[in-house]
Amino acid sequence: MNDNDIMSMTPAELREYMVSAGEAPYRAGQVFSWIHRGAFPEEMTNLPGSLREKLASGGYRMPRILTRQDSKDGETSKYLLSLIDGECVEAVLMRHDYGTSLCISSQVGCRMGCAFCASTRAGRVRDLLPSEMIGQVAAVSRDAGERVDKIVIMGIGEPLDNYDNVTRFLRLLNEKDGLGIGLRNVSLSTCGLVPEIKKLAREGLPVTLPVSLHAFSDEKRRELMPVARKYSIDSLMEACRYYFEQTGRRVSFEYTLISGKNDSPEDARGLAALLKEKMRYPSHVNLILLNEVKETGLRRPDRARAARFAKMLNGMGQNATVRRSLGGDIDGACGQLRRAREADRAAEENFTKE
Ligand code: SAH
């Protein structure tokens, strides 16, 4: 954390920081609530001009919205946000009947290397700071003029590969003078970093944990996810049971259906058997239709096949649903927007070099 990264500070840290900068302690509470709402310094009308100037000139780094795309049905808005160093990340706002959720990024790029994913193709550039995750929520919520009810950490990056910043972000998110989002309304999706899952289980942060499984055997999983070479499915299942035992939060599994790779009836049977034997607690499987990323050559099965897969799982007593795909008409998923922008930038650079 940078010394003056005020949006990453807890209320107590911010108070100390403000006092050491010669401000009255009560100012810290005012500043905290303004910045977590994504206000611009000139709008902070209860603060003296000198303090507003200080905020404007350093330390307060709201991500800037570069583009916003709205799906035709009005349910989804996808944002490309620029960070202080010009890197960018994506966030997607989804309006459901039961409330509004925001899917945010946890890293610039990703080093997990999953075969089907766009975000990992160019590796990881850097971790996001807590302020840059809070900033995504504050900036989007402000732009949309909507309160965000639920947070899903399922955008670019592997959140448990940025453990300290992500757990600090979760605590900040929960602050009553800030965004005040209950951690039960937060889902943290992981590709399955076993030691970090166990560590998270002991943090006292009751977030829901979707685990990306995508295959029922180690052999198949290793083909799709390099992380499976490091942690076996057995050890992952043990960590998931531990998570449930410690937090009481139900674990769910993400399973992206990829044509000819993991979408056969044997795969469904293998998955149901695995969860019955190894997970043992009730769990839910979210089936996702692959969002095709051209360079990977991987294809999505059709909806009917996905529905059959879900039916088989349910028939074997394993709860499963096919996730409705939101935002399909706006590159709605998985790092595709950032990739497109990176490509544009590269093209621009080449152009100017010539
Ligand atoms: N790194 C975390 C969170 C980000 S990915 C994780 O792995 O869970 C969020 C989800 O989207 C994961 O389940 C991931 O496997 C899935 N995903 C990534 N690329 C995808 C694609 N092209 N199509 C469908 N799902 C994808």
Side-chain angles (χ1 to χ4, degrees):
M1 191 171 104
N2 300 331
D3 305 346
N4 66 349
D5 179 14
I6 56 172
M7 226 189 342
S8 289
M9 293 178 189
T10 62
E13 288 165 348
L14 185 62
R15 202 173 315 119
E16 206 174 297
Y17 176 79
M18 300 277 288
V19 169
S20 69
E23 299 291 339
Y26 76 94
R27 293 283 182 212
Q30 295 174 320
V31 170
F32 191 90
S33 78
W34 280 121
I35 61 183
H36 284 247
R37 270 189 279 156
F40 296 114
E42 62 271 23
E43 296 165 323
M44 303 178 183
T45 44
N46 58 356
L47 303 184
S50 57
L51 179 53
R52 278 188 261 163
E53 264 161 45
K54 264 194 233 167
L55 292 173
S57 62
Y60 178 38
R61 305 171 188 143
M62 279 297 293
R64 205 160 46 84
I65 294 171
L66 288 180
T67 60
R68 164 180 170 172
Q69 291 170 256
D70 298 316
S71 65
K72 286 196 201 82
D73 58 19
E75 285 183 1
T76 314
S77 302
K78 176 144 188 170
Y79 289 87
L80 187 66
L81 300 145
S82 156
L83 308 172
I84 189 98
D85 58 357
E87 293 294 344
C88 45
V89 291
E90 298 172 22
V92 184
L93 192 70
M94 294 163 283
R95 301 170 185 89
H96 312 281
D97 310 332
Y98 51 85
T100 296
S101 23
L102 181 69
C103 173
I104 63 154
S105 299
S106 56
Q107 293 177 314
V108 179
C110 182
R111 58 175 177 170
M112 295 297 125
C114 297
F116 43 82
C117 179
S119 305
T120 198
R121 296 198 68 79
R124 181 191 62 169
V125 178
R126 68 174 177 86
D127 289 335
L128 291 190
L129 296 165
S131 55
E132 293 170 323
M133 291 179 261
I134 290 285
Q136 290 173 64
V137 186
V140 168
S141 176
R142 179 195 162 107
D143 177 79
E146 290 169 56
R147 185 186 150 81
V148 173
D149 307 298
K150 278 190 67 156
I151 301 289
V152 229
I153 312 177
M154 219 182 249
I156 299 169
E158 166 50 48
L160 296 185
D161 187 37
N162 183 16
Y163 190 91
D164 292 345
N165 287 332
V166 166
T167 46
R168 176 176 272 266
F169 158 70
L170 293 173
R171 294 198 166 91
L172 288 170
L173 198 58
N174 198 222
E175 283 293 340
K176 62 174 187 338
D177 294 334
L179 289 156
I181 297 179
L183 295 180
R184 286 169 189 277
N185 295 320
V186 177
S187 290
L188 184 155
S189 179
T190 178
C191 66
L193 301 181
V194 167
E196 284 79 8
I197 291 176
K198 291 185 175 164
K199 196 169 163 195
L200 186 67
R202 296 186 293 264
E203 291 282 354
L205 298 169
V207 298
T208 308
L209 189 73
V211 174
S212 300
L213 196 55
H214 307 322
F216 75 87
S217 72
D218 283 324
E219 198 188 346
K220 279 200 176 219
R221 195 162 185 262
R222 282 184 203 126
E223 257 185 61
L224 297 171
M225 306 175 76
V227 69
R229 292 184 209 138
K230 198 159 176 198
Y231 304 113
S232 68
I233 291 185
D234 272 7
S235 66
L236 179 57
M237 290 297 136
E238 193 225 304
C240 292
R241 287 200 308 274
Y242 182 74
Y243 191 82
F244 177 73
E245 286 156 4
Q246 294 292 312
T247 63
R249 304 297 293 154
R250 194 169 74 152
V251 174
S252 63
F253 297 96
E254 311 282 299
Y255 193 102
T256 295
L257 290 162
I258 307 173
S259 183
K261 294 280 180 202
N262 64 1
D263 65 338
S264 71
E266 295 78 72
D267 288 301
R269 277 191 285 273
L271 181 59
L274 167 76
L275 296 178
K276 193 168 178 182
E277 279 163 35
K278 301 275 168 65
M279 182 60 201
R280 305 204 284 265
Y281 297 116
S283 65
H284 185 86
V285 173
N286 268 315
L287 297 167
I288 312 164
L289 282 165
L290 176 74
N291 223 296
E292 290 180 6
V293 177
K294 226 192 250 131
E295 304 96 304
T296 67
L298 298 169
R299 315 232 56 89
R300 74 152 67 188
D302 59 34
R303 263 204 166 259
R305 195 168 171 86
R308 280 200 296 279
F309 199 95
K311 201 168 166 207
M312 276 192 75
L313 288 177
N314 285 307
M316 290 179 281
Q318 173 59 53
N319 214 289
T321 45
V322 184
R323 182 180 296 162
R324 265 180 68 224
S325 165
L326 291 171
D329 57 333
I330 51 167
D331 278 345
C334 318
Q336 293 176 359
L337 207 59
R338 172 171 173 265
R339 295 257 309 147
R341 170 157 168 106
E342 292 297 306
D344 276 356
R345 261 180 156 187
E348 237 169 67
E349 271 166 29
N350 282 339
F351 184 73
T352 43
K353 266 184 215 145
E354 269 163 24

